[in-house]
Structures are given as structure tokens and as C-alpha cells.
Amino acid sequence: MIEIRNLRKEYDGTIAVNGISFKVERGEIFALLGPNGAGKTTTIKAILGLINYEGEILIDGKPVNKETRKFIGYLPEKVAFYDNLTALQTLEFFAGLKGLQNVDFLEILKEVGLEKDANRKVGEFSKGMLQRLGLAQCMIGNPKLLILDEPTTGLDAVGAYEIRKKIKELNKKGVTILLCSHILSEVQELSHRVAIMNKGKIIAIDTVENLSKKLDLKPKLRIELQHPSMRIYNLVKEMKAVEDVKMEDKILEIKCFPHAKISIMNAIEQAGGKIVDFKMVEPTLEEIFIKMVKEDE
């Protein structure tokens, strides 16, 4: 759906994006990650045709132009609408900008849970309602590609959940989604693949699982003890299969290979420790992101 070849953009002598190339496949949720200033926003602006750049960008096999932009929905990081317009009038305004007619605006508002607020002025909307309206304007014309920049920023837990749920629903219908978010747990939940940017370059691109394997990040065994003690902590710490161990309250968090968990738990019980509960926790995207950016630095 998106193919980028040697994209480069410079602002007043500062290189914002430095010759990056990647593809976003049809029907996938692809996340673009990176610290502030990594070049994510510049990349999005280039895909949308909002800036001049060096290199080549193809959308569904075609160069970025007025026609390709018609089937792209874009939710910017900071949503801004006219306060004096109603939700319905806002969607009508954006449909007019896209040159679209015969759009069922009420159905779109219903899809994001705003049908009862169709005739309410946007200036009265909460942050969560504005985000949902922003998603609604993205959906005008049933675009094949959505570009979502920080779609849940500033939302409470319920609002963020509703937006994530809608993103999943749209993707199940075949919509390709390019996602930018600083909430890495959200990216891990939604994305099929991630690209990590730093200093204008892509330093990694793959599934979260494959990136974890490449970095040799081990899962963690979390064991809840009935009566934790320094004796058991030291026993576990000295085991060869254990890379690291932390103890907090009644929880031992042990970094180890999965195959070692049985021998570790047996050793704890043989030493008189009573195990209340345990689980294996896979490496998080946050751990992957931090390690890759630090190594790149």
C-alpha cells in the first residue's frame, strides 16, 4: 500500500529524514516509532504530499497526487476543528474538501459513538469526543489507508480503549493503517510490524517477536512467594540459568530462558519457599525500543 524509496528531507541544513526505505503491506497495521525528532512527522507529511522531498513515494503503486490523497484518511496528533460547527457540519466540511458527495454522515458518526451528538457544536466536545470525531473524518469516503498520529493521546482509559477497538475493526475490514504512538503497549497490542526511527534513519523493522529474538531479550519469570526471603533471593541469583533477578514485596522477577523455569521453581520449593503463583512475561516493545535506540546512540 505504501512504498518509500530513499526518502530524504532537509530543513535549513538539518537532515530530518536521511534516505529511508520501507514498505507497508496492504491490510496490515504498521507502526512508526522513534524518539522526538527522529523524523516520524516529516515522513508522514511526505506520504501525504504536504512537503517537498527527495526520493520516491508510491501509494497503492501510484505517485502521491490529488487522486491518491482521496483514499487516505489522516488523523493528526493535534486535532483541530471549528468550534462553531456541529459534528455533522464538520464532516460535511471535510467531505467537501475531498470533493465527495452522497456520504452517510450519520452512519459514520454512529460508528464512532457520536450519533447522539451529531447536531452539537464541536466547541462543547470533550477531548475523547474530539478524537472520535477526528477518526470519523478519517473514515469519510471509506479510505483504503489510514494514517493515525498519536490517536489516543490525552484520552482516559475508556476513551483509549474505544479508539483501539475501532482501529482493530477498521483493519479487519481490510483498511491499511500506519500508526504513530508514544504509548508502546498500545503499539504492541495493535501492530503487525514496527519500524524504529532514530536521527532520521530506520534502525530496525520487523515484528515485535522477531526484534526481541534479534536482541536476545529473555522473558521474565514472575514468581509470587508466600514468605519471600533474602535466602531464596540469593539462591536464585546464584543459579547459572538466571541472568538477573529482582525482588519487590512478594514477587521475584527473574530474567532467564523459558526452559529453566521448572528447575528454578523446584530449587525454590526444595529450599522451603512456598510458590503462590507464577507466569512468564515476554519482552515488551518498550524494552526493545529503549535497547535499540541506546545501541544506535
Side-chain angles (χ1 to χ4, degrees):
M1 181 59 74
I2 302 174
E3 185 171 358
I4 294 179
R5 301 172 185 164
N6 301 313
L7 175 64
R8 187 179 187 278
K9 178 62 180 178
E10 185 174 323
Y11 293 102
D12 299 324
T14 300
I15 300 174
V17 177
N18 194 3
I20 66 172
S21 300
F22 66 90
K23 293 180 181 180
V24 178
E25 303 296 339
R26 287 182 180 85
E28 79 171 332
I29 300 178
F30 185 94
L32 196 59
L33 307 179
N36 291 333
K40 305 185 299 298
T41 299
T42 298
T43 301
I44 287 175
K45 287 181 178 178
I47 293 171
L48 293 168
L50 300 177
I51 57 173
N52 295 320
Y53 54 84
E54 298 174 46
E56 186 177 17
I57 298 177
L58 300 177
I59 305 294
D60 202 20
K62 304 178 186 67
V64 179
N65 55 39
K66 189 176 180 180
E67 290 304 310
T68 59
R69 283 198 292 265
K70 282 185 179 180
F71 63 80
I72 300 176
Y74 173 48
L75 177 66
E77 180 179 358
K78 295 180 180 178
V79 181
F81 299 115
Y82 292 109
D83 289 349
N84 62 324
L85 295 183
T86 65
L88 194 59
Q89 290 170 334
T90 298
L91 295 191
E92 290 171 347
F93 171 75
F94 279 95
L97 291 178
K98 285 190 172 185
L100 299 173
Q101 297 177 347
N102 302 318
V103 179
D104 190 343
F105 299 113
L106 287 176
E107 180 59 31
I108 295 175
L109 289 172
K110 185 178 180 181
E111 283 197 49
V112 297
L114 290 175
E115 69 274 19
K116 293 180 181 178
D117 301 287
N119 296 308
R120 187 175 168 187
K121 288 191 175 181
V122 173
E124 301 171 3
F125 278 19
S126 66
K127 171 66 176 173
M129 293 170 73
L130 287 173
Q131 285 294 102
R132 292 206 296 273
L133 184 59
L135 195 57
Q137 69 84 13
C138 284
M139 294 161 56
I140 296 172
N142 297 312
K144 296 184 285 185
L145 171 63
L146 290 184
I147 299 177
L148 309 178
D149 194 358
E150 304 290 346
T152 62
T153 295
L155 299 184
D156 59 23
V158 174
Y161 168 77
E162 289 175 349
I163 293 292
R164 289 196 303 271
K165 182 181 177 183
K166 193 63 198 176
I167 290 171
K168 291 177 183 177
E169 288 175 1
L170 290 166
N171 182 241
K172 282 183 179 179
K173 292 178 181 178
V175 178
T176 304
I177 296 170
L178 176 61
L179 172 70
C180 283
S181 175
H182 282 97
I183 306 171
L184 299 187
S185 59
E186 176 176 277
V187 172
Q188 187 162 3
E189 177 188 343
L190 293 172
S191 305
H192 298 112
R193 290 190 300 145
V194 299
I196 299 176
M197 292 188 71
N198 193 38
K199 296 180 179 178
K201 291 186 175 183
I202 290 180
I203 58 176
I205 182 168
D206 212 327
T207 64
V208 173
E209 182 181 0
N210 287 343
L211 288 175
S212 177
K213 289 177 181 177
K214 288 176 184 177
L215 291 173
D216 194 28
L217 290 173
K218 297 177 180 63
K220 293 172 184 175
L221 174 61
R222 290 174 60 88
I223 297 177
E224 182 181 350
L225 299 173
Q226 191 174 64
H227 300 293
S229 68
M230 288 305 299
R231 183 173 64 86
I232 292 177
Y233 169 82
N234 289 326
L235 171 73
V236 173
K237 189 176 182 180
E238 296 301 319
M239 295 181 70
K240 289 183 179 180
V242 174
E243 184 177 298
D244 188 31
V245 58
K246 295 177 183 177
M247 186 165 68
E248 186 173 343
D249 296 328
K250 294 184 177 182
I251 303 293
L252 277 179
E253 188 174 87
I254 305 159
K255 189 180 291 186
C256 63
F257 289 105
H259 63 75
K261 67 180 181 182
I262 300 299
S263 60
I264 292 171
M265 290 191 292
N266 284 339
I268 290 173
E269 291 192 325
Q270 288 170 11
K274 175 68 174 176
I275 296 175
V276 177
D277 195 10
F278 73 93
K279 66 176 178 179
M280 292 297 296
V281 181
E282 293 298 322
T284 65
L285 181 56
E286 183 176 23
E287 292 175 276
I288 295 169
F289 177 78
I290 290 171
K291 185 168 183 178
M292 297 220 72
V293 171
K294 281 185 175 179
E295 286 184 356
D296 186 63
E297 294 292 339

